[in-house]
Amino acid sequence: MVTETWSPSIKVPETLIAMNADPIDQARRLVRDRFPNALAAVLGGSVAAGRATASSDLDIAVLIGDGGKTCRETIRFEGRVVELFIHTRAGLADLFAADVAARRAVLQSVYATGLVLVDAAGEAGRARARAEADLRNGPLALAPEMVETKRYGLTDALDDLADAGDRIERLAVAGFVLSAAADLLCDYHQARAYPTSAAGSGCRGAYWRRTGSVGPPCSKDTCGCARRETRCP
């Protein structure tokens, strides 16, 4: 006589599956399943840097063909949150230019330091080279009036930090102080390395900071500003 035992099936939550899965393997599966024709895909963030925790999200930049749409999307894949940066070649150039203008090279950092998941015909390598060049050049120099505004904001925040009694308030103000001080310090070093008085501001100054000469009036092939504006300033 054979005795059969019965036990109820237990459904394992997706979040628990995500915590035990290798995030790099998950990123590869996502790109393979959702972007089978991707030209390039790069995994950034804490996972690529080796600092991931069980609940870390995935930051993935995906370069697609020219007929696609440049966009940003947040999804959940196999229980893990994923931030997707999807772009065409032209879209990537625009996003790089926007990050430079905003003085926050977010996408450049992903391409320059991330883990390459897909590299069709060297596309990821070329994107990485452009990202590394932007990071080497650093942000464009601040206008004098902007420097004064940031200095005023920093000194005001330092006074607030000294007077803050609440721990949460101190942390919030300290974060602003760190960001403002880093921005001004970076601008100081940029100004010493590339004095804008020799080249002026705007696109000619950008061209000079990239090439070491004042150069001709800018064009798409020199400073790239034509991708951001209808005509150069």
Side-chain angles (χ1 to χ4, degrees):
M1 179 178 178
V2 178
T3 302
E4 294 183 357
T5 58
W6 176 86
S7 60
S9 60
I10 300 175
K11 184 177 181 179
V12 180
E14 280 195 348
T15 52
L16 185 59
I17 296 175
M19 291 173 62
N20 292 294
D22 185 302
I24 297 177
D25 288 341
Q26 286 182 309
R28 289 196 174 102
R29 284 195 294 273
L30 185 153
V31 173
R32 182 181 64 244
D33 294 347
R34 181 162 179 175
F35 305 99
N37 299 317
L39 302 177
V42 179
L43 173 64
S46 60
V47 175
R51 297 182 282 102
T53 64
S55 59
S56 291
D57 65 350
L58 301 176
D59 300 299
I60 306 177
V62 183
L63 181 64
I64 58 177
D66 294 339
K69 179 182 179 182
T70 297
C71 62
R72 181 172 175 173
E73 185 178 359
T74 301
I75 64 172
R76 189 177 289 275
F77 179 78
E78 296 182 357
R80 193 180 295 275
V81 175
V82 182
E83 190 77 20
L84 291 170
F85 303 86
I86 308 164
H87 35 260
T88 62
R89 294 183 185 92
L92 180 59
D94 289 340
L95 291 171
F96 275 2
D99 278 358
V100 169
R103 304 171 64 79
R104 296 290 182 268
V106 176
L107 201 54
Q108 283 92 335
S109 295
V110 172
Y111 270 100
T113 64
L115 176 66
V116 176
L117 305 174
V118 175
D119 186 10
E123 292 283 354
R126 285 188 286 274
R128 171 163 289 183
R130 292 196 299 271
E132 290 174 342
D134 279 349
L135 293 175
R136 282 195 303 271
N137 291 336
L140 302 181
L142 291 170
E145 59 271 18
M146 181 57 68
V147 173
E148 290 305 313
T149 298
K150 285 183 173 289
R151 288 180 62 187
Y152 175 82
L154 176 59
T155 54
D156 192 49
L158 285 170
D159 291 337
D160 291 341
L161 183 61
D163 294 336
D166 180 76
R167 179 176 177 272
I168 302 301
E169 181 184 0
R170 286 200 304 273
L171 288 172
V173 177
F176 174 82
V177 167
L178 178 61
S179 176
D183 209 12
L184 285 169
L185 181 62
C186 183
D187 185 70
Y188 171 75
H189 286 294
Q190 185 80 332
R192 292 190 64 188
Y194 308 108
T196 55
S197 60
S201 59
C203 293
R204 291 176 67 109
Y207 179 86
W208 185 82
R209 283 187 287 274
R210 283 184 170 87
T211 65
S213 67
V214 175
C218 70
S219 68
K220 183 180 293 186
D221 293 328
T222 55
C223 73
C225 72
R227 295 190 181 93
R228 301 195 299 275
E229 299 178 355
T230 304
R231 65 183 181 87
C232 298

